[in-house]
Amino acid sequence: LKGIELHDLNVFSGPCLLFERKAGTNNAEAERFYACAVYRSRRVCPYRVNVTGENISGHHVSEDAVTGSALKSSFCYAKIRRKVNSWKNKAKYYCSKCNDIFLLPHVHPLKGPVSIAELRRPTQLLAPLTQKHSESQYWFSDESLRVLLVGIRNSRCNGVLCIGTPTVFEYLQSNRELRANCKSFLLDIDSRFVSFFLLAHFIILATSTFVCYVNHVKYKRPDKSVVRFFTDLPLDVFDLSEFSNYRFCDKCEKYVTKTNLHCDFCESCPLEDGYMHKHCDICCRCVKESYEHCGACKRCHLPQRCPRFLGVEARN
């Protein structure tokens, strides 16, 4: 690519990604551009480099133009921990504006007095970020955290890297047994956590994952959130016996939802989206119960929804 070296395609918040957006009449044209990989809103990070053929053109932005919170905080690791150690017998109060603890009086509104146990779990003190284009945060429910905790304990692993999951990290740190036997590290873009944890525990980097959340309108309910564990651990280490909507499949050797019936033809519990399923002998796989096999396109789909007759190419 001409016009700018690829290694220059970085902004203060991190590296850039190549995006493609449909444009023009009937989306016939496509515009390609490099933009910030962290902040997807140009209001937060206006950096953009347009790509036309083999040429790249655009502009760099100053650090002041990027408004993401990860860049606007000074990094003073574990300052709260140091104050706790020096104020052992004094009532401590948390200030969300200063992101620090204080003794009374203080100029800003305070929460407290706060205990050491509360300071080990800062997500109970911090307000979740709500900018959906950049730093929107949702905290895992205690129910989801218990499942992860049991899985980690049963697997006997000696280290956990928490990527964008501060609730998992603080849950591990607040458990004396796991804190002693299992090293845990947090990688997150929210710099507010540096006040609570040691540098050895914390690196600012990225975010993402999905289970049940306590502060999400839709996904705070288990029936609205499909839980997927991406792991190389044996799935039977995750004990879901206390949840009424799960059962243990002896053939698959893992917990599945109660409606996810084992298919002897597929040799698995194939349900992924909560709908009942049936096995199609022609397709040699399980499909939704509402689907019917279509001789025209040779696949299963809803009645009267054949892609050939609708003028849409069938998806693989």
Side-chain angles (χ1 to χ4, degrees):
L1 293 172
K2 301 176 181 177
I4 190 171
E5 295 293 331
L6 288 179
H7 58 73
D8 289 335
L9 294 176
N10 289 275
V11 72
F12 295 102
S13 53
C16 293
L17 292 177
L18 178 61
F19 293 89
E20 182 174 288
R21 179 183 295 159
K22 298 297 182 182
T25 306
N26 297 324
N27 292 327
E29 302 175 7
E31 57 175 351
R32 301 170 71 223
F33 57 92
Y34 284 94
C36 178
V38 177
Y39 300 112
R40 301 301 175 86
S41 171
R42 296 194 70 182
R43 293 181 180 179
V44 181
C45 180
Y47 185 89
R48 175 173 170 138
V49 177
N50 297 318
V51 179
T52 306
E54 294 185 350
N55 296 311
I56 295 181
S57 63
H59 67 282
H60 293 277
V61 295
S62 66
E63 185 172 357
D64 293 335
V66 183
T67 61
S69 67
L71 304 178
K72 299 302 178 183
S73 301
S74 59
F75 290 179
C76 184
Y77 291 92
K79 64 180 180 181
I80 288 179
R81 175 178 292 203
R82 288 193 293 271
K83 286 187 176 181
V84 167
N85 292 336
S86 61
W87 297 343
K88 289 184 178 180
N89 299 318
K90 298 180 180 179
K92 297 164 281 290
Y93 297 81
Y94 175 74
C95 174
S96 58
K97 188 173 182 63
C98 300
N99 192 34
D100 202 350
I101 59 172
F102 297 93
L103 304 177
L104 293 178
H106 183 63
V107 65
H108 302 134
L110 297 170
K111 297 179 182 179
V114 292
S115 64
I116 294 178
E118 289 176 300
L119 293 173
R120 287 188 187 276
R121 301 190 66 180
T123 58
Q124 297 182 350
L125 298 172
L126 300 173
L129 301 176
T130 57
Q131 174 54 259
K132 65 180 181 180
H133 294 296
S134 55
E135 297 169 291
S136 184
Q137 292 175 318
Y138 300 101
W139 307 139
F140 285 119
S141 66
D142 281 345
E143 184 180 80
S144 300
L145 290 170
R146 285 196 301 272
V147 172
L148 291 170
L149 185 68
V150 171
I152 291 169
R153 182 185 287 117
N154 291 344
S155 69
R156 298 182 180 179
C157 64
N158 59 6
V160 178
L161 178 62
C162 304
I163 303 177
T165 53
T167 47
V168 177
F169 175 74
E170 64 184 23
Y171 206 76
L172 294 171
Q173 287 290 307
S174 61
N175 184 281
R176 180 177 297 180
E177 175 194 348
L178 285 174
R179 193 167 66 245
N181 300 322
C182 182
K183 293 182 179 180
S184 57
F185 302 90
L186 174 64
L187 280 71
D188 201 276
I189 197 172
D190 188 351
S191 59
R192 295 179 298 174
F193 291 108
V194 301
S195 299
F196 294 87
F197 302 121
L198 295 171
L199 176 59
H201 291 157
F202 188 85
I203 306 172
I204 295 182
L205 187 64
T207 182
S208 188
T209 201
F210 213 83
V211 189
C212 292
Y213 301 124
V214 294
N215 59 318
H216 196 288
V217 175
K218 181 178 180 180
Y219 296 113
K220 64 183 178 182
R221 294 170 50 191
D223 59 322
K224 294 295 183 180
S225 177
V226 178
V227 179
R228 294 185 176 95
F229 285 121
F230 296 92
T231 178
D232 57 358
L233 295 175
L235 294 182
D236 58 358
V237 303
F238 297 101
D239 184 5
L240 304 179
S241 58
E242 64 176 288
F243 306 112
S244 60
N245 55 333
Y246 286 91
R247 66 176 184 84
F248 188 80
C249 177
D250 294 323
K251 296 178 180 178
C252 293
E253 296 184 334
K254 66 177 181 179
Y255 280 91
V256 297
T257 56
K258 276 192 172 180
T259 55
N260 193 358
L261 303 179
H262 189 87
C263 176
D264 291 327
F265 296 102
C266 295
E267 297 183 342
S268 68
C269 294
L271 187 63
E272 293 182 352
D273 49 18
Y275 295 96
M276 295 298 292
H277 58 82
K278 62 183 179 182
H279 189 83
C280 175
D281 294 326
I282 302 175
C283 292
C284 296
R285 66 186 183 95
C286 283
V287 298
K288 292 180 181 179
E289 200 169 43
S290 57
Y291 282 17
E292 295 179 1
H293 190 82
C294 175
C297 63
K298 303 186 185 307
R299 60 190 288 260
C300 290
H301 53 68
L302 289 170
Q304 311 301 321
R305 298 292 294 176
C306 179
R308 288 198 172 189
F309 296 105
L310 294 175
V312 180
E313 290 187 7
R315 293 183 297 177
N316 292 330

